[in-house]
Amino acid sequence: MFNRAVLHLDLDAFFASVEVLKNSSLAGKPVIIGGTGGRGVVASCSYEARRFGVHSAMPVSMALRLCPDAVVIRGDMEDYSRYSRLITDIIAEEAPLFEKASIDEFYLDLTGMDKYFGCWKWSGELRQRIMRESGLPVSLGLSVNKLVSKVGAGEAKPNGALLVENGTEKDFLAPLPVSKIPGAGKETARKLARMGVRKVQTLAEIPPRLLQREFGKHGLGLWKKANAIDNSPVVPYHEAKSISAERTFQTDTTDMRFLHDKLNSLVSQLAFQLRKQQKLTSCVTVKIRYTDFSTYTRQMTIPYTANDRPLLAHARSLFDKLFDRRQLIRLIGVRFSGLVHGSPQLNLFEDNTEEIRLLKSMDEIRRRFGSKAIVRGAG
Amino acid sequence: MKFSVASSELLKHLSIANGAISSNPVLPILDDFLFTLENNQLTIAASDLETSITTKLEVNPDKKASELKVAIPARILLDTLKALPDQPITFTVDEQTFAISITSAYGKYRLAGEDGQDFPELPEATDADSVSIPANVLNKAITKTLFATSTDDLRPSLTGVYFNIDFSNLTFVATDAHKLVRYTFSGIPSELSASFIVPKKSLNQLKNVVTTGDDDGSVLMAVNKANAFFTFGNTTLACRLVDARYPDYNAVIPVNNPNHLTIKRTDLLNSMRRIAIYANKTTNQVIFDIAPNSLTVSAQDLDFSNEAAEQLICNYDGPAFTIAFNGKFLIEMLSVLDSDEVRFELNDSSKAGILVPVDEPDDENILMLVMPVMLGT
């Protein structure tokens, strides 16, 4: 019996599975979804490809060296969103309370359903229904909180289901390597390994004060996670705190005209998103990654706006302040944060009629033909 | 040297001068009042380098004293006088050490002063042209324009009120690029043609100086290249002008907005105050749905699922359309107008709207402009 029951649903190799579904000749073959250009990275790959050591975020060129026979597909985000929506609709129909954590992950709060339905039985039936109706493999984990359920679903993969009974959470986590804990990335795992900590059990037994000293606030969180403590609620809807976009270039460059051009297109695309969602931003951040991977960001607070002109000007001045090395640039990014609902306040001296009409017409074109249909050139 | 003065009279003058003392002065001596005694006239001055206030009063010098300048810590002197019942008090200043002792009926208070020669020099009205303005007009003009000034230091010209004297017309303009107020008073006898920008802070201080007197007086305004001087009774406020070019505001005021909507000012203002409670607290957006003889004011805050709408009766016969504004701006604008009815002169949802009173005194003219919020297409 569960006091609190949280179910985690995770679609296996989501992008790759969708591609296989679309083209059955790919079934059983190593499939890689990712950029096909010289610098593309793996966004997702099938389990057949994983067997060769391919994993997401790896450069495609490297993946092809590991697995020369893999089929590389550029992928179609619209298709994936459509399948994701299909599954969301099924869950929305069945579940009392759910959270869409990402395009292929869901948390469901099943607290109180044990008595009448049996959480485990109900979960299994939901999984069967999703697989039957979408044709995509799903893994699930069921336990008392989000953390253990997520780890459980990860262990159940591919295409499996795992129940972590009430009271056995710590025992379940104990033998796993620390890297299985969500939020413990490569850096944390390396640092823990240097401390002699490899298994979750060891981590759980470390005094929390020691972890706090080593990792700061994050350390206490790690200790809690290792002890299967996670009180975070299943939140049905997240308000986006910020929106961002970045672009890695085919080849590193210092061509200012090109860089300004890219910056403008990032800013105007994001600004369009803001306007589409009827939001305003009050903070602009610009990011530069140099060829040696050293990354710098700079931000400034501005009066609330969603209009291209001020945002372009602020982003440009941030970029010019940030770019102070005579070094090739690999990536630039832009982030808008401090979002609120609203429409931009027009300026008496700067927003003339032509500017507003231009903006409205451009937005109209973008709405009809996609956000990249029209962009500003470097001014 | 020694002089005596009535404590309440001194306190009154000190309180006026105190308006110029900033909470964190650039120089330590700016925490002080400068006392200058000449014969039986005491001049009290205070300054924050931007604005300075000087005020004069009569005192009884003990003997024929030579001219004296001493700086006295403002806080301690003010607090002492506030705590004393009205009575004659005597100041004794040591001309070598600038030590001050004050004698009241209750006892003696000593405090350390500083050499008045170290006090920064105050601006003098040299090469200044002057014009006399009724005090109530100046006060009204400040009240009606000050709220529209900007706080953005990146555009210094907008942080003050623009004064334009054109013979008998005196025009005050303030804008922060989202709203604009133009107040014109005609009927001052003047041979002067000049324009300058007075900082917002100085005008706030001036408002306090001018209202402390009676309303029938007049203010002598003098101006030279760098400073403006406002003299009211025996008090003078001098301030440094904003050294920037004011934008061409006349070019952005639309002249023939076709859609005129007339409404009772207090009705709209009260409605706006209620609706604004339901608007988003950072953007304060309210929506006007305008239809023949009907104005629907609404607002919503999606983050809290708050929303409100009210329908008002108005006089309008143009095409129906929707326009959105920052509700805070409208409340400020409607609050400073006096007439019973106001008229909106609008064009479309993305162009400047004009708000004017329906009737106003013959010698006054006020125009307010507000930029809308851009609604999604």
Side-chain angles (χ1 to χ4, degrees):
Chain A
M1 279 289 276
F2 290 103
N3 284 327
R4 188 171 174 236
V6 178
L7 173 67
H8 181 73
L9 284 171
D10 195 341
L11 295 155
D12 300 330
F14 178 50
F15 297 170
S17 301
V18 173
E19 292 300 335
V20 172
L21 196 66
K22 275 163 45 184
N23 178 1
S24 57
S25 70
L26 294 173
K29 288 185 187 155
V31 178
I32 291 172
I33 315 298
T36 44
R39 286 221 142 127
V41 290
V42 178
S44 169
C45 57
S46 68
Y47 280 87
E48 288 78 9
R50 289 187 200 191
R51 215 166 293 146
F52 292 88
V54 179
H55 57 80
S56 47
M58 171 187 274
V60 170
S61 53
M62 190 190 216
L64 283 175
R65 243 177 292 145
L66 291 169
C67 176
D69 297 329
V71 184
V72 181
I73 299 172
R74 262 195 81 86
D76 179 353
M77 215 48 207
E78 294 210 346
D79 259 352
Y80 306 148
S81 303
R82 208 176 54 239
Y83 275 96
S84 174
R85 218 172 307 135
L86 179 80
I87 291 159
T88 313
D89 289 344
I90 299 173
I91 294 173
E93 207 181 302
E94 299 270 345
L97 178 65
F98 76 101
E99 170 180 343
K100 186 169 183 172
S102 72
I103 194 163
D104 61 350
E105 280 178 281
F106 302 87
Y107 289 103
L108 284 71
D109 194 336
L110 307 183
T111 307
M113 285 171 67
D114 222 12
K115 192 171 169 187
Y116 303 103
F117 301 95
C119 288
W120 180 239
K121 181 166 163 281
W122 187 89
S123 305
E125 284 166 6
L126 176 66
R127 173 167 170 253
Q128 291 303 330
R129 184 176 165 201
I130 292 171
M131 293 200 292
R132 195 171 59 240
E133 292 186 14
S134 69
L136 296 168
V138 189
S139 296
L140 69 78
L142 177 66
S143 81
V144 294
N145 61 34
K146 283 166 88 169
L147 169 84
V148 180
S149 295
K150 185 174 167 70
V151 178
E155 290 304 292
K157 281 184 171 215
N159 207 0
L162 190 86
L163 169 69
V164 182
E165 288 281 7
N166 196 2
T168 64
E169 297 85 15
K170 277 181 81 167
D171 298 334
F172 162 69
L173 291 181
L176 300 174
V178 285
S179 57
K180 294 269 183 182
I181 292 184
K186 240 202 258 169
E187 270 312 304
T188 313
R190 195 174 301 151
K191 200 164 173 187
L192 284 169
R194 273 208 302 275
M195 292 164 72
V197 180
R198 290 194 169 74
K199 285 193 173 161
V200 177
Q201 182 170 17
T202 332
L203 184 61
E205 284 164 1
I206 295 178
R209 284 231 331 264
L210 180 70
L211 285 172
Q212 205 165 3
R213 200 185 67 201
E214 285 302 312
F215 296 95
K217 214 171 142 195
H218 179 52
L220 198 64
L222 272 180
W223 182 82
K224 281 190 176 165
K225 285 177 185 168
N227 281 285
I229 301 168
D230 175 20
N231 293 322
S232 58
V234 174
V235 185
Y237 173 67
H238 286 280
E239 187 79 46
K241 290 197 181 80
S242 67
I243 59 170
S244 61
E246 53 187 46
R247 194 75 73 242
T248 310
F249 307 128
Q250 293 286 334
T251 46
D252 299 342
T253 179
T254 50
D255 178 351
M256 287 315 275
R257 211 190 140 76
F258 171 80
L259 289 167
H260 284 151
D261 225 32
K262 285 291 165 215
L263 187 73
N264 282 0
S265 84
L266 286 175
V267 170
S268 47
Q269 273 174 44
L270 282 179
F272 169 64
Q273 269 187 47
L274 276 182
R275 291 191 295 272
K276 206 167 70 174
Q277 297 167 24
Q278 298 241 328
K279 284 190 174 163
L280 303 173
T281 175
S282 63
C283 183
V284 180
T285 310
V286 171
K287 172 159 105 179
I288 289 184
R289 178 168 295 152
Y290 290 102
T291 188
D292 63 354
F293 276 84
S294 55
T295 308
Y296 297 87
T297 63
R298 215 176 157 124
Q299 64 180 55
M300 73 187 293
T301 307
I302 55 164
Y304 283 103
T305 185
N307 276 358
D308 281 4
R309 189 189 39 74
L311 290 171
L312 285 168
H314 289 304
R316 176 74 169 266
S317 82
L318 283 172
F319 177 80
D320 290 341
K321 276 185 211 148
L322 201 53
F323 180 58
D324 54 357
R325 295 219 250 161
R326 288 162 181 267
Q327 209 175 34
L328 293 167
I329 292 180
R330 178 186 169 84
L331 167 151
I332 56 174
V334 178
R335 170 189 297 274
F336 295 156
S337 49
L339 306 183
V340 294
H341 278 283
S343 319
Q345 167 73 52
L346 296 176
N347 188 301
L348 184 53
F349 300 106
E350 284 154 6
D351 291 312
N352 51 38
T353 317
E354 285 99 84
E355 183 80 21
I356 296 165
R357 272 172 54 196
L358 174 67
L359 203 62
K360 286 195 168 173
S361 312
M362 281 174 71
D363 281 359
E364 187 55 37
I365 292 169
R366 289 189 183 114
R367 245 186 289 272
R368 283 174 65 179
F369 303 107
S371 66
K372 286 180 191 166
I374 185 162
V375 292
R376 277 172 198 262
Chain B
M1 63 133 294
K2 238 171 145 179
F3 66 88
S4 57
V5 61
S7 66
S8 63
E9 188 63 17
L10 182 62
L11 177 59
K12 205 176 98 194
H13 285 85
L14 288 179
S15 304
I16 292 169
N18 190 41
I21 294 182
S22 96
S23 48
N24 49 343
V26 194
L27 300 168
I29 202 167
L30 296 177
D31 259 335
D32 297 354
F33 290 120
L34 177 67
F35 276 38
T36 311
L37 185 68
E38 262 178 298
N39 300 324
N40 64 346
Q41 189 168 62
L42 176 67
T43 307
I44 302 167
S47 170
D48 63 359
L49 295 183
E50 288 279 321
T51 318
S52 50
I53 299 177
T54 52
T55 178
K56 290 178 178 146
L57 73 159
E58 306 254 304
V59 297
N60 300 316
D62 198 48
K63 56 178 182 201
K64 276 270 175 269
S66 53
E67 193 190 295
L68 176 88
K69 269 187 163 190
V70 62
I72 307 180
R75 188 78 266 143
I76 190 163
L77 182 59
L78 267 174
D79 288 348
T80 311
L81 289 173
K82 277 180 196 159
L84 272 182
D86 188 15
Q87 61 185 281
I89 52 171
T90 310
F91 279 75
T92 313
V93 181
D94 183 319
E95 282 171 43
Q96 248 65 54
T97 63
F98 300 101
I100 298 143
S101 68
I102 305 166
T103 315
S104 79
Y106 301 101
K108 222 170 185 187
Y109 321 96
R110 282 181 188 283
L111 62 159
E114 286 176 79
D115 187 353
Q117 304 298 335
D118 296 341
F119 203 86
E121 205 161 312
L122 300 170
E124 297 273 344
T126 45
D127 293 335
D129 298 314
S130 62
V131 55
S132 174
I133 314 168
N136 56 354
V137 169
L138 184 64
N139 239 331
K140 211 164 162 183
I142 295 173
T143 317
K144 286 191 193 308
T145 52
L146 205 56
F147 76 92
T149 52
S150 161
T151 47
D152 183 3
D153 292 329
L154 293 175
R155 293 195 72 174
S157 63
L158 301 188
T159 60
V161 174
Y162 177 73
F163 283 54
N164 184 29
I165 308 161
D166 184 15
F167 303 104
S168 68
N169 286 334
L170 179 55
T171 305
F172 302 84
V173 183
T175 179
D176 64 356
H178 299 142
K179 53 187 183 289
L180 179 146
V181 181
R182 186 185 70 193
Y183 176 78
T184 306
F185 181 77
S186 44
I188 46 160
S190 152
E191 298 288 297
L192 189 61
S193 170
S195 57
F196 49 93
I197 307 168
V198 182
K200 179 188 192 140
K201 207 174 128 201
S202 307
L203 288 173
N204 256 321
Q205 291 159 337
L206 181 62
K207 223 166 76 177
N208 295 329
V209 171
V210 175
T211 44
T212 45
D214 57 294
D215 262 347
D216 302 327
S218 69
V219 175
L220 186 74
M221 180 168 78
V223 62
N224 62 19
K225 275 216 157 59
N227 296 289
F229 303 86
F230 299 89
T231 307
F232 181 70
N234 42 21
T235 303
T236 299
L237 180 140
C239 63
R240 195 191 297 163
L241 300 173
V242 177
D243 184 18
R245 210 178 61 82
Y246 207 73
D248 184 6
Y249 63 91
N250 276 320
V252 295
I253 299 177
V255 282
N256 39 16
N257 273 354
N259 301 319
H260 291 197
L261 181 151
T262 313
I263 192 164
K264 279 197 79 146
R265 185 181 66 91
T266 44
D267 286 359
L268 181 59
L269 179 58
N270 292 336
S271 170
M272 290 291 302
R273 286 197 172 125
R274 289 186 294 267
I275 297 293
I277 300 168
Y278 291 84
N280 181 301
K281 288 289 165 282
T282 42
T283 61
N284 297 302
Q285 266 170 32
V286 295
I287 294 169
F288 278 23
D289 280 305
I290 300 170
N293 294 334
S294 150
L295 168 65
T296 308
V297 184
S298 64
Q300 62 170 344
D301 186 350
L302 289 173
D303 298 341
F304 297 98
S305 304
N306 296 341
E307 61 176 282
E310 287 186 14
Q311 195 181 5
L312 302 165
I313 298 166
C314 65
N315 211 326
Y316 178 73
D317 58 4
F321 72 107
T322 302
I323 187 167
F325 294 107
N326 181 330
K328 230 177 86 194
F329 294 171
L330 288 182
I331 292 175
E332 289 171 333
M333 292 163 73
L334 290 166
S335 310
V336 300
L337 289 174
D338 308 309
S339 72
D340 282 346
E341 286 189 309
V342 291
R343 185 170 66 241
F344 279 99
E345 299 176 4
L346 304 168
N347 189 338
D348 68 28
S349 62
S350 62
K351 296 209 180 82
I354 284 177
L355 177 66
V356 290
V358 167
D359 41 29
E360 58 192 344
D362 288 342
D363 51 1
E364 277 182 37
N365 176 269
I366 186 160
L367 176 140
M368 298 191 170
L369 179 151
V370 61
M371 286 302 282
V373 157
M374 193 173 80
L375 287 172
T377 36

